[in-house]
Amino acid sequence: MAPHIEKQCVVVLSNNDGCVVARSAEVKALGVPMGMPWHQMQELARQHRIVAYSSNYTYYGDMSRRVMSVLAQYSPDQEIYSVDECFLDLTRQPHIDLAVMGQSIRQRVKQWIGLPVSVGAGHTKTLAKLANHVAKKRTERSGVCDLTTLDAGATAALLQTIGVRDVWGVVRKIEERLVMQGIVTAADLRNTDPAIIRRNFSVVLERTVRELNGVSCIALEDAPPDKQQIIASRSFGAPVYELAQLAEPVRAYMTRAAEKLRRQHSVAGAVGVWIETNRFRDQDVQHHPSATVRLPESTADTLHLVHTAIGLLRRIYRSGHRYVKAGVMLTDIRPAALQQGSLFASASEATEKRARLMTVLDAATAKWGRGAIAPGTAGFSAPRAWAMKRAAMSPAYTTRWSDLPRVLA
DNA sequence: TCTGGGGTCCTAGGACCC
DNA sequence: TCTGGGGTCCTAGGACCC
């Protein structure tokens, strides 16, 4: 999408331009680790002319949808696992040549969307992930790796070359403990008795071992399950000291959380709020209080939820602290259709009016954007110190008219 | 001065029940 | 001085995912 930065040092920054969350190969070669604070590498960035972009979720979401819709053409059984990964179940097409299909996928996505992708195939999700890792890292495989056609010897040889850390579900802590027990490669892990793994680690890792052996333990999820908890939290662009100023982001975050709740047609039975000072500043007195309250009646009503959250905020706030982050959480979530009314409150006209108001609110947000209608806030025109910093946003090439790329004839 | 956000699952331990 | 057994539910914290 941005040919002018190909082969350059490029990073993408987290919210508030805080940390490096994505690096081009050139930056990885400089030894910049994932999660490095951006402000700590200004000198390096100057030396190597590293180009930094603020994260642009609208743009990534749009590109993701495009890629996923291309991939869906290859199988009706698709699980969108994350913004940049999906699983396709091909067991209903048993005679297909997966290596050929993989190349077709790569070529079509490259041509239609302009993004490079890699494709891995295996008999389980864990093996498919591992194959994908191989396809991505080993350039001689031209972006595709099919483990299903390898014989036992070739598979064992390949797994012997892959560190246990590169297996899905194994991160540093587990890796250290595995290595102490002599389990170093993916092949070692595959050959370990699942019962021993269960005893020494967990059922989660036991499933991984079985999956490495071709026994499917992790099913394809074609529809994302409803969320059991919904969190909205963000660091502020600048520190906040006053209760009135903290109330603004808490209101805004809860408004978002309530939207998500209604989108999955659920209601929440409990609300939590927390605020934090900057844990990296030794010179500050630290304060990170939180509070949770059960609602008398489950609801998805923005106004109720905001009111409750502000009440909790008042309870936990202490003056004199330098707050840099706030968050809200909705839990005890259940489908709105199963909602049990409280013993004393009848499903009154007022409740129904409120529900209709929420429908209007969601429609307005969908049409005019977030903030078009918001619960009474004291912050429309005041300078919003808490608003996120995004100094180096890439253009929203596909989601904003003014940012459409121009083609010069 | 500046250090991300949003999830799930599992386990252990405490409170409580019969 | 002696102090069961089996179960559920809840919470906190760890570990992991992207």
Side-chain angles (χ1 to χ4, degrees), chain A residues 232-236 246 249-250 253 273-276 313 323-328:
Chain A
S233 81
R234 244 161 217 57
S235 304
F236 307 144
L246 273 174
V250 166
Y253 302 167
V273 173
W274 71 93
I275 49 181
E276 294 174 28
L313 173 67
Y323 293 106
V324 297
K325 184 174 181 176
V328 303

Side-chain angles (χ1 to χ4, degrees), chain A residues 243-304:
Chain A
L243 179 62
Q245 284 163 18
L246 273 174
E248 286 178 40
V250 166
R251 229 177 245 128
Y253 302 167
M254 185 52 90
T255 302
R256 287 223 55 186
E259 277 168 28
K260 287 192 201 169
L261 185 65
R262 290 194 296 274
R263 204 173 308 141
Q264 67 170 39
H265 307 291
S266 297
V267 291
V271 171
V273 173
W274 71 93
I275 49 181
E276 294 174 28
T277 49
N278 188 338
R279 65 182 193 281
F280 296 102
R281 282 170 59 98
D282 296 334
Q283 67 269 44
D284 287 357
V285 178
Q286 296 294 315
H287 191 224
H288 18 94
S290 66
T292 305
V293 70
R294 188 161 284 281
L295 298 165
E297 195 172 345
S298 297
T299 184
D301 185 307
T302 296
L303 302 182
H304 281 161

Side-chain angles (χ1 to χ4, degrees), chain A residues 34 164-167 169-180 183 201:
Chain A
M34 179 75 172
V164 79
R165 174 68 193 270
D166 292 322
V167 175
V170 179
V171 183
R172 208 188 60 248
K173 284 261 173 63
I174 300 283
E175 180 199 22
E176 286 168 6
R177 289 169 57 199
L178 284 171
V179 168
M180 280 197 305
I183 302 165
F201 293 88

Side-chain angles (χ1 to χ4, degrees), chain A residues 123-247:
Chain A
H123 285 301
T124 64
K125 285 164 94 174
T126 302
L127 286 170
K129 284 273 277 185
L130 204 63
N132 186 269
H133 171 82
V134 172
K136 192 173 164 183
K137 298 286 174 192
R138 318 255 165 115
T139 47
E140 73 276 11
R141 292 191 179 260
S142 56
V144 176
C145 173
D146 177 13
L147 291 180
T148 64
T149 52
L150 292 188
D151 62 40
T155 306
L158 181 62
L159 262 53
Q160 196 65 50
T161 66
I162 300 172
V164 79
R165 174 68 193 270
D166 292 322
V167 175
W168 191 30
V170 179
V171 183
R172 208 188 60 248
K173 284 261 173 63
I174 300 283
E175 180 199 22
E176 286 168 6
R177 289 169 57 199
L178 284 171
V179 168
M180 280 197 305
Q181 302 186 21
I183 302 165
V184 179
T185 67
D188 295 339
L189 185 59
R190 188 184 65 153
N191 297 334
T192 307
D193 181 355
I196 291 177
I197 293 293
R198 175 165 201 154
R199 199 166 342 114
N200 295 346
F201 293 88
S202 66
V203 292
V204 182
L205 197 62
E206 180 196 6
R207 280 201 283 265
T208 301
V209 174
R210 293 190 191 281
E211 284 246 324
L212 283 175
N213 282 285
V215 179
S216 177
C217 303
I218 306 171
L220 192 90
E221 286 174 359
D222 40 8
D226 281 350
K227 304 263 183 273
Q228 299 174 42
Q229 61 177 34
I230 293 172
I231 293 174
S233 81
R234 244 161 217 57
S235 304
F236 307 144
V240 167
Y241 297 86
E242 301 301 325
L243 179 62
Q245 284 163 18
L246 273 174

